[in-house]
């Protein structure tokens, strides 16, 4: 069982970062890494959505340049997430040694 942690991002809710699961066997290092990659991809997407919402609020408050910069960052996060997703698919399909 993997230990998790929780933290408050200062916007009214906590995120549970637990990775707990049992399958009745010991995970290999490769299985643990793949599970972590999948978790991180989901986590990154969640935070990208939160950042996009923050940009909307900032723009509504008249901070258009800050909103633009945040959206630029979110787009870059999206590119990174796309690369991470492709790596995960390669590992799942067995096209890369793991």
């Amino acid at each position: 069982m993997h230990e998790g942690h929780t933290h408050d991002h200062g916007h009214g809710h906590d995120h549970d970062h637990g990775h707990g699961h049992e399958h009745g066997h010991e995970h290999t290092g490769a299985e643990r890494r793949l599970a972590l990659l999948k978790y991180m991809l989901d986590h990154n997407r969640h935070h990208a959505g939160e950042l996009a919402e923050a940009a909307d609020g900032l723009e509504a408050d008249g901070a258009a340049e800050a909103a633009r910069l945040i959206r630029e960052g979110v787009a870059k996060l999206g590119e990174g997430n796309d690369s991470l997703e492709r790596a995960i698919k390669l590992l799942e399909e067995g096209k890369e040694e793991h």
Side-chain angles (χ1 to χ4, degrees), residues 55 58-71:
L58 286 167
E59 187 168 50
D61 291 342
E65 181 62 11
R68 183 192 68 76
L69 289 168
I70 291 169
R71 288 187 181 109

Side-chain angles (χ1 to χ4, degrees), residues 7-22:
H7 60 269
D8 184 347
H9 292 283
H11 48 79
H13 64 276
D14 292 338
H15 298 286
D16 181 6
H17 293 267
H19 317 283
H21 54 279
E22 302 250 352

Side-chain angles (χ1 to χ4, degrees), residues 25-34 98:
H25 69 277
E26 290 298 316
H27 291 290
T28 66
E31 289 172 327
R32 284 192 301 269
R33 283 188 293 276
L34 183 58
H98 63 281

Side-chain angles (χ1 to χ4, degrees), residues 66-84:
R68 183 192 68 76
L69 289 168
I70 291 169
R71 288 187 181 109
E72 183 180 299
V74 169
K76 290 177 182 179
L77 284 172
E79 291 173 14
N81 287 339
D82 291 346
S83 294
L84 181 53

